[in-house]
Amino acid sequence: MDIQQVLKEAKKAIESCESQQQLQDVKVAYLGKKGKVTGLLKLLKDFTLEEKKSKGAEINSIKVELEELIEKEQAILKTKDINSKLSNEFIDISFPPSSQSEAKVHPISKTFDEVISIFASMGYSVAEGPDIESDFYNFTALNIPEDHPAREMQDTFYIEDKDDNDLPMVLRTHTSPVQIRTMINQKPPIKIIAPGRTYRCDSDATHSPMFHQVEGLFINESANMSDLKGTLIEFCEKFFEVQNLKVRFRPSYFPFTEPSAEMDIAYSIINNELRIGEGDKWLEILGCGMVNPVVLENCKIDSSNFQGFAFGVGLDRITMLKHGLKDIRAFFSGSINWTSKNGFGLGNY
Ligand code: PHE
């Protein structure tokens, strides 16, 4: 029985392994149930007690030595495997894309860009606020009373964190809290839009729990309802690319505006196609009004000197109308097929 010879042989076999699988095979060949080292132990039965003791100890020591060697080699081969995988699966991100995989601009992103550029041409700048809002900015400062339906559980996503007044935080239910943040931090004149994500617990073909709005706010000494009308008509004509757009303003109610209105645009369906701006059917597209003096005062703006208007437009809604898309949920499905069909190529963007 040549124990050292088996050790030498096994070491050589371990060193020459090039993969984790080969190493596993070597491990089985030497240390497995039918392996060579195990075989040596089986031979011990023919030896004297003395020899059994000394040879047994020697076999056990080479067993331990081989186990350690295999473990070390295993770590080396694992790193080697990872490195070779990394270099084989390398993606050259500087490589020009094939025409089939042309990147597309999501319809909502396109609407964001268009809306910002239309209002920028009228002198509005973009303001932002957080998606996770405190009760104060989302409701209280906007004159939304405690028992207002908008606060109800089925509408608002409440978050466990509390604000400074121990009130729950919410996912903002509209972009109007950005009005408040702006009025608290800025002196009039104020002329901003706030595009962004909003959240309400609602889901069907025309509602999504996460959707998009753009808020508008204009405050100076004299802004009035007719300025508001003119601004919104100009926006809609530019956005829908229609001249002499037929619109109507219906009286409405929002706690933060007084008077309040909703704006509808006319449409008709001719040969199964939606025509925006003409016809005798009406689509509601936005809420608006003169900023309630209570809200100005909540933001420390003197309501005897300043006044203004605000509006909130559903961006998903106007995107669906403009591009004839029927199901809002498809916007957020993450389907590449949908985006390549309904998105906009960078070329004609
Ligand atoms: N915040 C309102 C909503 O989400 C829209 C709105 C904004 C109405 C500003 C009036 C003025 O329904």
Side-chain angles (χ1 to χ4, degrees):
M1 159 194 275
D2 194 340
I3 299 171
Q4 291 308 313
Q5 180 58 31
V6 173
L7 176 66
K8 217 166 131 189
E9 223 179 73
K11 275 184 172 172
K12 226 170 155 187
I14 294 169
E15 273 165 25
S16 66
C17 283
E18 286 189 358
S19 70
Q20 296 191 75
Q21 184 54 49
Q22 274 180 16
L23 185 67
Q24 183 59 26
D25 293 345
V26 169
K27 188 175 175 182
V28 172
Y30 285 89
L31 303 176
K33 262 191 197 153
K34 291 181 183 155
K36 286 191 176 167
V37 176
T38 324
L40 289 175
L41 286 168
K42 282 181 191 154
L43 292 176
L44 284 180
K45 64 178 185 336
D46 302 328
F47 287 83
T48 64
L49 194 62
E50 273 306 295
E51 284 170 327
K52 270 184 190 156
K53 266 191 185 162
S54 68
K55 293 220 182 284
E58 195 182 343
I59 297 169
N60 271 331
S61 92
I62 74 157
K63 194 177 161 198
V64 171
E65 189 176 342
L66 287 176
E67 277 169 352
E68 280 171 4
L69 272 178
I70 288 172
E71 205 173 303
K72 265 191 205 152
E73 189 66 19
Q74 169 78 21
I76 295 171
L77 289 174
K78 200 170 170 188
T79 316
K80 212 169 125 187
D81 270 8
I82 292 173
N83 286 338
S84 89
K85 239 186 178 175
L86 283 176
S87 61
N88 287 338
E89 291 172 10
F90 170 75
I91 298 170
D92 183 356
I93 54 165
S94 66
F95 203 72
S98 72
S99 57
Q100 279 164 329
S101 61
E102 188 200 356
K104 288 289 173 88
V105 175
H106 193 286
I108 292 286
S109 304
K110 189 163 193 278
T111 295
F112 261 72
D113 289 347
E114 287 173 357
V115 166
I116 291 171
S117 107
I118 294 169
F119 281 110
S121 75
M122 296 190 233
Y124 285 79
S125 56
V126 173
E128 283 180 320
D131 288 19
I132 298 175
E133 259 303 359
S134 76
D135 186 275
F136 174 77
Y137 290 106
N138 196 76
F139 295 129
T140 314
L142 284 158
N143 195 33
I144 300 179
E146 283 283 336
D147 53 358
H148 192 277
R151 290 201 182 203
E152 272 185 24
M153 287 307 244
Q154 67 264 33
D155 245 332
T156 307
F157 288 110
Y158 284 88
I159 292 186
E160 290 217 333
D161 262 13
K162 308 272 191 221
D163 68 9
D164 292 343
N165 301 315
D166 264 343
L167 288 166
M169 300 289 281
V170 300
L171 291 182
R172 65 178 179 193
T173 55
H174 49 181
T175 39
S176 303
V178 186
Q179 283 188 34
I180 302 298
R181 289 181 174 273
T182 310
M183 286 192 279
I184 286 177
N185 292 317
Q186 232 172 279
K187 294 258 156 306
I190 294 172
K191 204 172 180 186
I192 57 115
I193 52 161
R197 293 194 182 103
T198 43
Y199 306 83
R200 282 181 210 175
C201 194
D202 210 351
S203 180
D204 60 31
T206 53
H207 296 90
S208 152
M210 190 276 295
F211 56 106
H212 302 86
Q213 285 190 341
V214 62
E215 190 82 6
L217 177 71
F218 182 32
I219 308 281
N220 67 8
E221 282 99 347
S222 59
N224 57 39
M225 207 62 189
S226 125
D227 298 327
L228 169 63
K229 267 181 96 169
T231 303
L232 292 175
I233 291 171
E234 170 148 355
F235 163 69
C236 289
E237 288 186 344
K238 283 194 173 156
F239 181 78
F240 290 109
E241 295 163 349
V242 175
Q243 273 173 1
N244 303 320
L245 182 84
K246 200 169 141 190
V247 302
R248 74 174 181 194
F249 284 78
R250 271 179 299 106
S252 185
Y253 171 76
F254 299 102
F256 34 92
T257 46
E258 180 58 38
S260 304
E262 274 168 314
M263 178 176 160
D264 299 339
I265 52 177
Y267 77 99
S268 53
I269 295 175
I270 297 171
N271 296 333
N272 238 348
E273 241 186 61
L274 183 73
R275 295 254 183 101
I276 303 274
E278 50 183 287
D280 49 13
K281 296 193 169 70
W282 296 101
L283 274 168
E284 176 202 320
I285 61 155
L286 59 84
C288 60
M290 297 304 295
V291 177
N292 192 325
V294 174
V295 174
L296 295 175
E297 295 296 336
N298 285 345
C299 301
K300 310 266 176 305
I301 290 179
D302 180 0
S303 62
S304 57
N305 275 332
F306 294 104
Q307 60 189 49
F309 60 75
F311 53 88
V313 187
L315 292 180
D316 312 272
R317 185 97 201 259
I318 61 171
T319 307
M320 288 163 79
L321 285 175
K322 182 167 176 177
H323 303 296
L325 301 167
K326 298 231 158 55
D327 193 335
I328 191 174
R329 291 166 295 198
F331 282 152
F332 313 119
S333 65
S335 153
I336 292 181
N337 278 347
W338 186 87
T339 315
S340 39
K341 192 164 150 253
N342 297 294
F344 296 87
L346 294 170
N348 56 31
Y349 186 51

